[in-house]
Amino acid sequence: MEVGFLGLGIMGKAISMNLLRNGFKVTVWNRTLSKCDELVAHGATVGGSPAEVIKKCTITIGMLADPAAALSVVFDKGGVLEQICPGKGYIDMSTVDHETSIKISQAITSKGGHFLEAPVSGSKQPAETGQLVILSAGEKDLGGIANPMFKGKGPTMLQSNYAPAFPLKHQQKDMRLALALGDENAVSMPIAAAANEAFKKARSLGLGDNDFSAVFEVVKDLKRSS
C-alpha cells in the first residue's frame, strides 16, 4: 500500500521517515520542495500537489502547522478535495480547532472519502522513535474514547443508576495506590490526583458501595454549584 504525506516539518518528516523504514511506499509533498530531498534519498517519491498525492495513494496523511494551512491543503486549487473519492482516506494529524476539523471532515466525506482526525501527543523525539500517542476519531469513533465502557455506563449514569459492577470505594483505593506509586518514583500525576479527589468526595457523599460511575454525582454537584 502506498501512503501519502503532506507537510514535512519536524513532525511530518520524522513520521514519513518511519513509514519508509517500515517498508511503506511513501509519496510526499511540501510547499518548500527542498524539504522533500532527504526523504527522496531514503526512497520516497514527490507529488506535485496534494491532489496528485491523493490520486496516487490509498491513504494520505496531513501534518500541517495550523488551521489555515490544514484548510488550504484541502480546499485550495490542487488540494485534497480535487482527488478524494470512495476508496481513499485522509488522516489529518494537525492540531486544529474543532470547527476546522468538522469542515474538513464534511468536505472529505461529501466526496465519498474516509476521514480521521488524529492529532498527536508528543514532539520530535517520540516522532523519530515511533512513540507518538495518536488521539484519533472518525466516522465510527472506534478510538479509546469511544470504548465499550462509555457506551455501557453512559445510559445508566444519565438515569442515576449505579448498581455496583465495581464499587467506587475500590476504584478510589486503586487511584490512591497509583498516586503513591507516582510519589515513590517522583512522577507528577495531576489528572489522577484530581480524579482521586472526586472519588473521595463521592465516598463522603455515601456512594462508596455504589458503582464507580457514581462519581458522576460529584460532577453534577459541581455543575449545580457553579
Coordinates of all heavy atoms in Angstrom, one line a residue, residues 17 21 36 65 89 150 190 194 205 218:
M17 N 9.6 9.4 7.6 CA 10.8 8.5 7.6 C 10.6 7.2 8.3 O 11.1 6.1 7.8 CB 12.0 9.3 8.4 CG 13.3 8.7 8.2 SD 14.0 8.8 6.5 CE 14.5 10.6 6.6
R21 N 11.0 3.4 6.7 CA 11.8 2.4 7.4 C 11.1 1.1 7.7 O 11.7 0.1 7.8 CB 12.4 3.0 8.7 CG 13.5 4.0 8.6 CD 13.7 4.7 9.9 NE 14.8 5.7 9.8 CZ 14.9 6.7 10.7 NH1 14.1 6.8 11.7 NH2 15.9 7.6 10.5
C36 N 11.7 17.9 0.9 CA 11.5 16.5 0.4 C 12.8 15.8 0.1 O 12.7 14.5 0.0 CB 10.6 16.5 -0.8 SG 9.0 17.3 -0.7
A65 N 0.9 23.0 9.9 CA 1.3 23.8 11.1 C 0.2 24.4 11.9 O 0.3 24.6 13.1 CB 2.2 25.0 10.5
G89 N -8.7 7.5 1.7 CA -8.8 8.1 3.0 C -7.8 9.2 3.3 O -6.7 9.2 2.7
F150 N -17.8 3.3 28.0 CA -18.6 4.5 27.9 C -20.0 4.2 27.4 O -20.9 4.8 27.9 CB -17.9 5.5 27.1 CG -16.7 6.2 27.7 CD1 -16.2 5.8 28.9 CD2 -16.0 7.2 27.0 CE1 -15.1 6.4 29.5 CE2 -14.9 7.9 27.6 CZ -14.5 7.5 28.9
P190 N -1.1 15.0 38.0 CA -2.2 15.9 38.3 C -3.6 15.5 38.0 O -4.5 15.7 38.7 CB -1.8 17.2 37.6 CG -0.9 16.8 36.5 CD -0.2 15.6 37.0
A194 N -6.6 14.8 40.7 CA -7.9 15.4 40.6 C -9.0 14.4 40.6 O -10.0 14.5 41.3 CB -8.0 16.3 39.4
L205 N -20.0 11.4 50.2 CA -21.5 11.5 50.0 C -22.2 10.2 50.2 O -23.4 10.1 49.9 CB -21.7 12.0 48.5 CG -21.2 13.4 48.2 CD1 -21.4 13.7 46.7 CD2 -21.9 14.5 49.0
V218 N -20.7 13.7 41.7 CA -19.9 14.8 42.1 C -19.8 15.9 41.0 O -19.8 17.1 41.3 CB -18.5 14.3 42.5 CG1 -17.5 15.4 42.7 CG2 -18.5 13.3 43.6

